[in-house]
Amino acid sequence: MTQIFFAATQYAAATITAAVKAGLFGPREGRRRVLVVSNTSAIPELTTPLDRMPGFEKLRPEFDAVHSWNEMIAPHHPAGWSPLPEEIPVWERALRLAWDLGDGPVEIACESIQANPSRAIADIFADSPIHVYADGLMSYGPTRNRMPADLHGRFRRLLHLDLVPGLRPLLLSEYGVDPVVIPGDIFQQVLKDIGGHGVSLLEELVPADDRPTAVLLGQYLSALELITVAEENELHVRMLRGAVAAGHRHLLFKPHPSAPAQFTQSLEQSAAELGVRLTILDTPLLAETVYQYVRPELVVGCFSTALMTASAFYGIPVARVGTGELLKRLTPYENSNRVPLTVIDAVLPDLEGDTAGVGTPLHQDPERVGSDLAPLVRTVGYCMQPQSYAALRDASVAWLTAHLAEHPQYFSQKRLTRLDLPGGNPSRTATLRRNPTVRRLVRGLRTARR
């Protein structure tokens, strides 16, 4: 048996390595493990490949071979290339030869199965079982696109980090795929192993006796066209001001690796005006490496997964900024960022709120998450993808009837009207019911429920 693991980022590679170390892919004996790395950045030639990043040598011993997907399909870009149907047999033979796979069985572990390069490799090895792993909050949201039967019939498990204990992932659940938790302690150890080089850099940048007490996380949301560059600059300034108001005098800003330098200029100016010290981390490092060395008293961000790792794995108090505005503007409703944004908004304190609760650890009560957060997330998921999750309609109607008035920010009246749900516009609903397109959609939903 050959196991092929796909990873596009250092965080993803750490996640799948932790799964391997935890025994979730069986014992090493009798299995050949191949790691395939890809670089899906806009211009891969200008960035460092995953297998050449500092710390990768700590992951390498878990795999018998490492190959580059970019080199294999050059000059095509990994995010935009997939084989034509008639080319698939040729590509399978080519990969088996190039990667020394022989003629034996192959199983695949990959992330983001809906997109390339994961979808491409799944198509090439068309008979192989597939284990999907997710390293972020999107695993709690619905599957973005419907999967063809010949693909989803091969799904075996969804491996994920338990970022919100008590919250069960919705991703791929419509296909009966069971979620499996990757042990957090093993994941933390893997991050510690690969973070040694980063700690050395931080020791040079931040003296041990003068470490920042608050960390600000940048996400580069303007690149996703969620907000403008000017608005993102202001978002970072709001994080700074909120942390200063909470009593912090030395702060560290960790920008997104792709963010332009102008993001830090406005922050530096604001820090000077407020009379506080600001350290800019201009070297790409995992946020978790920063947590390990700095040990901050507070982490602030918008809806970054790194907020949840700070709380769930390091016990650091966390707070959010700007989620309310993004919830109002996020389009279309089925945007994949909606569930991560909803989760962060629902469970983390607002740094700018009157009752921010900064310094209070994120509640980790699985019973409360199961009774309060999980129904909200499932209802949002149903509204995002009603055809795929038709079985959730009755529960969603019940939740909206009881709780919509308390949580209107997570739903749009237009969407509720279109789906004929509580909170929609009754007069508009009557008009929509006469619309032929809507009638076909409703018939489709009813068929799916049967």
Side-chain angles (χ1 to χ4, degrees), residues 380-404:
V380 171
Y382 169 74
C383 292
M384 291 173 65
Q385 300 292 344
Q387 288 185 300
S388 297
Y389 299 89
L392 296 179
R393 181 175 176 86
D394 291 345
S396 297
V397 169
W399 189 92
L400 288 166
T401 300
H403 301 289
L404 179 60

Side-chain angles (χ1 to χ4, degrees), residues 36-51:
V36 179
V37 300
S38 60
N39 187 337
T40 57
S41 60
I43 308 177
E45 295 79 8
L46 299 181
T47 56
T48 303
L50 169 59
D51 55 337

Side-chain angles (χ1 to χ4, degrees), residues 230-348:
E231 289 170 331
E232 187 151 21
N233 272 316
E234 179 59 23
L235 181 65
H236 295 153
V237 171
R238 288 167 59 188
M239 293 180 191
L240 175 73
R241 290 173 179 163
V244 172
H248 297 275
R249 310 300 297 174
H250 183 187
L251 308 94
L252 182 145
F253 177 62
K254 183 190 178 304
H256 188 280
S258 302
Q262 67 192 65
F263 277 13
T264 63
Q265 294 171 359
S266 56
L267 265 180
E268 290 172 327
Q269 180 179 349
S270 296
E273 293 172 354
L274 293 170
V276 297
R277 183 177 177 185
L278 176 67
T279 298
I280 304 294
L281 183 61
D282 53 8
T283 301
L285 292 177
L286 289 174
E288 291 71 22
T289 300
V290 177
Y291 302 156
Q292 290 168 15
Y293 175 74
V294 174
R295 296 293 177 182
E297 299 171 9
L298 174 69
V299 175
V300 181
C302 188
F303 66 101
S304 170
T305 294
L307 284 167
M308 303 306 289
T309 59
S311 177
F313 298 145
Y314 297 92
I316 303 171
V318 290
R320 58 180 169 84
V321 171
T323 54
E325 296 93 323
L326 276 174
L327 281 167
K328 295 176 183 177
R329 297 171 54 174
L330 191 63
T331 57
Y333 190 85
E334 55 268 33
N335 189 306
S336 297
N337 291 296
R338 185 168 300 281
V339 164
L341 187 56
T342 297
V343 169
I344 293 292
D345 185 84
V347 303
L348 299 191

Side-chain angles (χ1 to χ4, degrees), residues 67-337:
H67 298 290
S68 167
W69 185 246
N70 292 60
E71 293 177 4
M72 188 68 202
I73 67 169
H76 303 288
H77 191 284
W81 179 86
S82 60
L84 296 173
E86 60 270 23
E87 297 175 342
I88 287 176
V90 176
W91 271 101
E92 180 177 359
R93 288 196 296 270
L95 292 180
R96 284 183 177 275
L97 180 63
W99 296 346
D100 192 26
L101 304 182
D103 297 323
V106 168
E107 63 178 357
I108 300 165
C110 59
E111 55 179 339
S112 304
I113 187 60
Q114 303 161 93
N116 292 317
S118 294
R119 184 63 182 270
I121 199 71
D123 287 343
I124 291 172
F125 291 97
D127 298 324
S128 299
I130 301 170
H131 307 269
V132 179
Y133 71 94
D135 57 19
L137 293 171
M138 284 189 181
S139 65
Y140 296 115
T143 312
R144 187 173 60 212
N145 303 314
R146 300 185 75 174
M147 301 283 103
D150 60 348
L151 181 63
H152 72 67
R154 296 156 54 198
F155 296 156
R156 296 297 180 264
R157 300 174 296 176
L158 173 68
L159 299 148
H160 71 102
L161 296 169
D162 200 16
L163 298 174
V164 188
L167 185 60
R168 184 181 176 89
L170 196 58
L171 183 67
L172 302 180
S173 63
E174 68 271 36
Y175 304 119
V177 179
D178 291 327
V180 176
V181 172
I182 299 172
D185 56 343
I186 297 179
F187 176 66
Q188 283 181 262
Q189 185 58 52
V190 171
L191 291 176
K192 184 177 181 179
D193 291 342
I194 66 177
H197 176 76
V199 168
S200 299
L201 293 175
L202 286 169
E203 287 175 342
E204 297 177 6
L205 183 66
V206 181
D209 58 352
D210 187 23
R211 299 179 185 179
T213 59
V215 171
L216 315 179
L217 301 173
Q219 281 183 257
Y220 201 14
L221 300 176
S222 54
L224 302 177
E225 299 183 348
L226 299 181
I227 55 179
T228 67
V229 171
E231 289 170 331
E232 187 151 21
N233 272 316
E234 179 59 23
L235 181 65
H236 295 153
V237 171
R238 288 167 59 188
M239 293 180 191
L240 175 73
R241 290 173 179 163
V244 172
H248 297 275
R249 310 300 297 174
H250 183 187
L251 308 94
L252 182 145
F253 177 62
K254 183 190 178 304
H256 188 280
S258 302
Q262 67 192 65
F263 277 13
T264 63
Q265 294 171 359
S266 56
L267 265 180
E268 290 172 327
Q269 180 179 349
S270 296
E273 293 172 354
L274 293 170
V276 297
R277 183 177 177 185
L278 176 67
T279 298
I280 304 294
L281 183 61
D282 53 8
T283 301
L285 292 177
L286 289 174
E288 291 71 22
T289 300
V290 177
Y291 302 156
Q292 290 168 15
Y293 175 74
V294 174
R295 296 293 177 182
E297 299 171 9
L298 174 69
V299 175
V300 181
C302 188
F303 66 101
S304 170
T305 294
L307 284 167
M308 303 306 289
T309 59
S311 177
F313 298 145
Y314 297 92
I316 303 171
V318 290
R320 58 180 169 84
V321 171
T323 54
E325 296 93 323
L326 276 174
L327 281 167
K328 295 176 183 177
R329 297 171 54 174
L330 191 63
T331 57
Y333 190 85
E334 55 268 33
N335 189 306
S336 297
N337 291 296

